[in-house]
């Protein structure tokens, strides 16, 4: 698929067999809730995009995100060492996106943030189909991680859903792929292949609800000799279609709607995550937390990304039950106004 927005100004909706080569949001027939055509300024102000690259292993956990919200660009990166409980984390905010670059090509482009001697860079390469994370911080921390979606073959979740009365969201999700590269930091030096690290990736963009929230769960690892990835959400990308799925050895298996049960007043309390169709029944035990709060009036965010272990069962239709025993992953609880 060459472009997400069609000649009639509307997106291609649904679960897509191919990743659009260009998220041509400026061609969207964007209107107010009362049907008035909106111009270039409104299209710029209300279009948001973000990208996330996560690392998972029993030895080291990490995450890096970049978000472009028109009035401000935000980036964060963290590393967590489960054995010692030590953590490195940094956050960056760039008014009007100064010092940042965001590409609207999910499989071929660069998103990056530069601030002083700090660099957060997410590269997407089309041939071979590879995702790369490069982080260089002024304290000497360096992350260079990558994965290939074609060796072995992997089927990403690619979808576009209507949002509110006048918007849409495109998302491309990957989980359950092995990762290579290296990390150098105050937590130690790590060869990602040697510690059997897995990765997950999220590329999302669109005209999202002005005020929204979501819960999200993701795991990547190996269970019973099979490569397993999981992507579940509630509160976003649920109009007509959902992004909920898991992967077994790179094969995408669709999941129905999902319920997240947890205590918002206790950051490290257990979570229960179950799908309506019975394919997912998991419990999550927290081990660490990355948190951000931002309240600028017209922009606000209350964000918790919690890393820990999943246990329970995946029950793919027509296949044996797959026990999940203490696999590392993430859950997320976020409120956003933008």
């Amino acid at each position: 698929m060459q472009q997400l927005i069609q000649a009639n100004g509307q997106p291609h909706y649904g679960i897509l067999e191919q990743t659009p080569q260009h998220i041509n949001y400026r061609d969207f027939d964007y209107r107010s809730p009362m049907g008035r055509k909106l111009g270039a300024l409104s299209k710029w102000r209300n279009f948001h995009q973000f990208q996330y690259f996560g690392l998972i292993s029993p030895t080291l956990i990490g995450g890096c995100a970049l978000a472009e919200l028109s009035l401000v660009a935000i980036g964060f990166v963290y590393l967590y060492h489960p054995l010692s409980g030590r953590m490195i984390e940094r956050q960056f905010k760039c008014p009007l996106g100064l010092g940042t670059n965001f590409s609207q090509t999910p499989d071929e482009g660069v998103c990056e943030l530069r601030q002083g001697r700090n660099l957060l860079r997410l590269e997407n390469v089309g041939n071979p189909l590879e995702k790369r994370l490069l982080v260089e911080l002024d304290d000497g921390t360096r992350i260079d991680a990558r994965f290939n979606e074609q060796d072995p073959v992997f089927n990403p979740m690619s979808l576009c859903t209507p949002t509110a009365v006048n918007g849409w969201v495109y998302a491309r999700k990957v989980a359950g792929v092995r990762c290579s590269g290296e990390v150098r930091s105050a937590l130690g030096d790590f060869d990602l292949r040697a510690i059997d690290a897995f990765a997950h990736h999220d590329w999302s963009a669109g005209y999202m609800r002005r005020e929204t929230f979501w819960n999200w769960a993701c795991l990547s690892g190996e269970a019973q000799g099979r490569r397993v990835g999981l992507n579940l959400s509630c509160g976003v990308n649920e109009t007509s279609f959902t992004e909920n799925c898991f992967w077994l050895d790179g094969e995408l298996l669709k999941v129905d709607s999902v319920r997240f049960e947890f205590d918002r007043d206790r950051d490290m309390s257990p979570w229960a995550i179950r799908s309506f169709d019975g394919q997912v029944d998991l419990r999550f035990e927290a081990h660490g937390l990355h948190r951000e709060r931002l309240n600028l009036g017209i922009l606000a965010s209350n964000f918790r990304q919690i890393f820990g272990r999943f246990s329970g069962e995946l029950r793919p239709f027509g296949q044996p039950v797959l026990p999940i025993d203490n696999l590392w992953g993430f859950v997320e609880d976020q409120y956003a106004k933008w």
Side-chain angles (χ1 to χ4, degrees):
M1 182 186 300
Q2 291 292 322
Q3 299 188 113
L4 180 68
I5 307 301
Q6 305 174 74
N8 64 1
Q10 297 302 310
H12 290 277
Y13 287 118
I15 296 174
L16 309 177
E17 292 186 5
Q18 296 180 327
T19 301
Q21 293 185 22
H22 182 217
I23 308 302
N24 54 321
Y25 73 93
R26 293 180 179 87
D27 296 327
F28 176 47
D29 182 9
Y30 190 37
R31 305 197 177 209
S32 75
M34 301 305 293
R36 178 173 57 86
K37 280 184 172 288
L38 299 174
L41 181 60
S42 293
K43 287 184 180 182
W44 167 80
R45 169 64 183 90
N46 296 316
F47 179 80
H48 305 315
Q49 75 177 87
F50 55 86
Q51 192 173 169
Y52 177 78
F53 192 118
L55 304 171
I56 301 179
S57 79
T59 305
L60 186 70
I61 292 173
C64 179
L66 293 175
E68 192 278 316
L69 308 177
S70 66
L71 298 180
V72 64
I74 298 171
F76 71 76
V77 60
Y78 66 83
L79 292 168
Y80 174 71
H81 189 238
L83 184 62
S84 66
R86 296 170 62 205
M87 185 171 176
I88 296 170
E89 55 184 329
R90 296 285 294 274
Q91 303 174 20
F92 304 94
K93 296 179 177 64
C94 302
L96 298 176
L98 297 175
T100 68
N101 175 58
F102 283 84
S103 165
Q104 279 80 56
T105 52
D107 277 346
E108 189 79 51
V110 172
C111 296
E112 68 176 13
L113 179 154
R114 293 179 180 271
Q115 195 172 90
R117 294 189 294 115
N118 301 292
L119 169 68
L120 309 182
R121 181 181 175 94
L122 288 156
E123 301 177 7
N124 304 319
V125 180
N127 188 19
L129 195 56
E130 185 177 82
K131 312 298 183 191
R132 182 191 183 201
L133 167 66
L134 177 63
V135 174
E136 296 176 340
L137 301 182
D138 55 13
D139 64 0
T141 299
R142 189 175 194 274
I143 304 170
D144 190 349
R146 66 187 69 207
F147 65 85
N148 189 319
E149 293 181 30
Q150 296 171 314
D151 184 22
V153 174
F154 181 89
N155 298 312
M157 167 58 74
S158 179
L159 82 162
C160 184
T161 59
T163 302
V165 69
N166 63 339
W168 50 267
V169 176
Y170 171 77
R172 188 183 192 279
K173 307 282 182 139
V174 173
V177 291
R178 281 193 163 87
C179 183
S180 62
E182 62 178 12
V183 173
R184 298 201 307 266
S185 73
L187 302 178
D189 297 342
F190 303 90
D191 181 316
L192 296 176
R193 191 182 297 276
I195 64 174
D196 199 23
F198 281 72
H200 57 271
H201 186 265
D202 177 353
W203 198 105
S204 295
Y207 291 92
M208 305 170 187
R209 292 178 180 88
R210 176 77 178 86
E211 189 170 10
T212 188
F213 92 99
W214 62 80
N215 297 132
W216 174 69
C218 179
L219 68 80
S220 292
E222 186 172 295
Q224 306 292 306
R226 306 192 71 178
R227 287 180 293 110
V228 181
L230 176 83
N231 179 81
L232 304 173
S233 73
C234 175
V236 68
N237 295 339
E238 292 181 312
T239 308
S240 304
F241 317 94
T242 79
E243 65 180 58
N244 297 329
C245 63
F246 58 85
W247 292 267
L248 297 180
D249 296 322
E251 179 188 4
L252 187 152
L253 301 172
K254 193 70 182 68
V255 174
D256 205 336
S257 54
V258 174
R259 169 68 177 161
F260 292 77
E261 299 177 9
F262 62 100
D263 186 343
R264 268 202 175 86
D265 294 327
R266 298 169 57 221
D267 289 339
M268 306 299 283
S269 64
W271 291 43
I273 303 167
R274 301 181 181 91
S275 66
F276 180 76
D277 59 15
Q279 290 192 95
V280 176
D281 188 353
L282 295 173
R283 178 180 174 87
F284 175 83
E285 296 286 344
H287 283 253
L289 168 71
H290 172 76
R291 168 163 232 159
E292 293 193 26
R293 284 180 173 169
L294 174 71
N295 192 350
L296 302 177
I298 59 173
L299 294 174
S301 175
N302 186 5
F303 170 74
R304 294 184 298 168
Q305 188 174 90
I306 306 167
F307 24 95
R309 298 189 187 192
F310 289 90
S311 295
E313 292 181 341
L314 299 180
R315 304 169 185 146
F317 295 137
Q319 299 187 41
V321 171
L322 183 66
I324 301 297
D325 184 17
N326 285 318
L327 276 187
W328 285 93
F330 302 79
V331 295
E332 196 170 279
D333 181 36
Q334 172 147 18
Y335 159 79
K337 180 172 68 171
W338 43 30

